[in-house]
Amino acid sequence: MNIPDTYHVPVLLHDSIDGLNIKPDGVYVDVTFGGGGHSREILNRLGPKGHLYGFDQDADAEKNIIGDERFTFVRSNFRYLNNWMRYYGVERIDGLLADLGVSSHHFDDETRGFSFRFDAPLDMRMNKRAGTTAADIVNRWDEQRLADIFYLYGELKTARRIAAAIVKARTASPIVTTHDFINAVQPLFQREREKKDMAKLFQALRIEVNHEMEALGEMLAAATRLMCAGGRLSVITYHSLEDRIVKNLMKSGNVEGRVKQDFFGRFETPFLLVNSKVITPGEAEQQQNPRSRSAKLRIAEKK
C-alpha cells in the first residue's frame, strides 16, 4: 500500500505499531487517521478477520481513505470513541494508536491558519464544518480569559501582556488574519526567542479552538474502558501538556494522575507500562522529518 507523500509523514511508524503487539484477528483503532500512514501499517499486520477503525474529523483526511474491507473510516472527533464503537457493535478493542498534535498537512496548508509562516485567515479549526475560529476567540474574549489560555496552553510568562496587546489592537481594527495576530503581539517577543514563543502562542490558541485537552482526556478514558486484557495503548505526544495527560492515564488509570491504593498499600492501575522510558525518534528520522523532533512515544498494556 502506498502512503500519500503530500499529506503527512508518519512519526515513529514502526515503533508505535510494534508497540501494539498486533493480533492478526484483533480489533484496532487509529484515532488520528490523517494521511493513513499508521493505519496502513496496522492493516499490513492484520489477518483477513482483523478490523481497523480510523477516526478523523478533518474532511481533508477523507481523501486518504483506504479501500480495504477490513477498514472503517469514522468522520468524527476521537472524543466520541465510545459512542462510535457502540454504534458499530464493538464491545472490546485489542489496541489503540494516537499520533497527537497537528499533522504536517495542516502546518503546510496556507489557508488554515495553523502556521505563522503564512498570511491566512485566523481559523485553526481541525473540523472546518463547525466550531469557533481562532479569530472569534481573539476578537471576542475578554483580556483575562485570553491571558489564561496563553499561560495554561502556551506556558508563556508574558501571557497577560500578550492578552492586553491583543485587546488594544482589536479596538483599532478586527484581527482577521495570522499576520494581523502576529503584528499585534510581535513587539513583545525578544528576537532570539521570537519563533519559539510565537509557536507556543499559536499552539495555545489552536488547543483552545479545538478543545484538545478535553477531547484527549475523554478519548483516553473511553479507550481504558474499551480495551480488553492484554490490549495495548500506543500514544505519540508532542508537547508537555498532552504528554502529562497520557503519562498520568498510563500510570494511574485517570488523566489527573490520582493513584489509588488497595488495603495493603499497593498501587491500583489498569495498565502496565511497556516502555519505562519514553521512545523518541532516532537522529535519522529527526533529520528526515523535523516534526518528529519533539515526539515522545508511550506504550501501555491493559491488565
Side-chain angles (χ1 to χ4, degrees):
M1 300 178 186
N2 295 320
I3 300 172
D5 57 6
T6 58
Y7 192 95
H8 176 66
V9 179
V11 173
L12 287 164
L13 176 61
H14 296 291
D15 290 294
S16 61
I17 307 305
D18 288 346
L20 288 175
N21 194 27
I22 290 176
K23 303 173 184 175
D25 59 349
V27 176
Y28 292 87
V29 183
D30 177 355
V31 294
T32 49
F33 177 72
H38 288 103
S39 283
R40 284 174 171 79
E41 185 60 29
I42 292 172
L43 287 168
N44 283 341
R45 305 188 190 194
L46 282 179
K49 294 184 179 179
H51 202 86
L52 172 65
Y53 295 87
F55 279 70
D56 208 297
Q57 61 183 327
D58 191 342
D60 288 353
E62 296 183 47
K63 301 170 186 175
N64 305 319
I65 289 177
I66 302 166
D68 190 312
E69 61 183 9
R70 300 170 301 163
F71 177 75
T72 300
F73 181 78
V74 183
R75 187 210 265 188
S76 175
N77 189 306
F78 60 42
R79 73 191 307 168
Y80 304 116
L81 170 67
N82 194 63
N83 294 357
W84 282 102
M85 292 298 94
R86 189 185 308 126
Y87 174 80
Y88 285 110
V90 177
E91 295 183 359
R92 288 285 181 267
I93 61 175
D94 294 285
L96 180 143
L97 172 91
D99 180 9
L100 303 174
V102 182
S103 73
S104 49
H105 165 75
H106 289 123
F107 279 130
D108 293 339
D109 187 337
E110 299 182 18
T111 68
R112 302 289 291 272
F114 285 100
S115 173
F116 52 83
R117 290 180 294 149
F118 311 114
D119 189 19
L122 196 59
D123 193 319
M124 296 194 188
R125 291 173 299 169
M126 297 287 190
N127 180 356
K128 293 186 290 186
R129 298 180 297 272
T132 301
T133 68
D136 293 332
I137 290 173
V138 299
N139 285 293
R140 298 176 186 175
W141 288 10
D142 63 45
E143 186 175 321
Q144 182 61 55
R145 195 173 179 188
L146 288 172
D148 289 345
I149 292 170
F150 302 144
Y151 183 75
L152 291 172
Y153 296 151
E155 300 179 298
L156 288 159
K157 295 179 181 178
T158 55
R160 291 185 181 278
R161 292 174 59 203
I162 293 170
I166 290 170
V167 171
K168 181 179 179 181
R170 76 190 189 192
T171 58
S173 61
I175 298 171
V176 178
T177 68
T178 53
H179 279 192
D180 293 339
F181 185 54
I182 291 168
N183 290 336
V185 301
Q186 198 166 31
L188 299 175
F189 292 155
Q190 297 177 4
R191 185 174 297 275
E192 63 271 16
R193 290 187 52 84
E194 185 178 54
K195 286 187 177 180
K196 185 173 287 187
D197 286 344
M198 196 67 75
K200 288 183 176 181
L201 184 61
F202 270 63
Q203 170 188 292
L205 196 50
R206 187 202 78 226
I207 287 173
E208 181 63 24
V209 167
N210 296 288
H211 307 289
E212 291 179 29
M213 297 300 100
E214 299 94 329
L216 176 58
E218 290 176 26
M219 181 274 288
L220 290 172
T224 303
R225 292 191 297 269
L226 286 163
M227 199 79 66
C228 67
R232 293 281 187 92
L233 189 60
S234 182
V235 185
I236 304 168
T237 65
Y238 295 88
H239 58 76
S240 60
L241 300 175
E242 59 192 15
D243 187 58
R244 190 179 306 128
I245 289 175
V246 173
K247 182 168 65 173
N248 284 346
L249 185 282
M250 290 183 173
K251 287 189 173 182
S252 67
N254 58 77
V255 297
E256 295 83 14
R258 296 190 309 270
V259 179
K260 298 179 182 179
Q261 293 178 291
D262 63 16
F263 179 78
F264 300 101
R266 294 172 298 200
F267 292 141
E268 293 183 331
T269 172
F271 290 106
L272 293 170
L273 297 181
V274 173
N275 55 321
S276 56
K277 293 183 179 180
V278 294
I279 298 170
T280 57
E283 189 174 333
E285 180 173 1
Q286 291 185 41
Q287 290 180 350
Q288 184 180 7
N289 183 8
R291 177 179 178 265
S292 73
R293 289 171 185 164
S294 59
K296 293 180 179 179
L297 171 62
R298 295 183 185 274
I299 305 165
E301 181 173 299
K302 185 76 176 291
K303 291 181 179 177

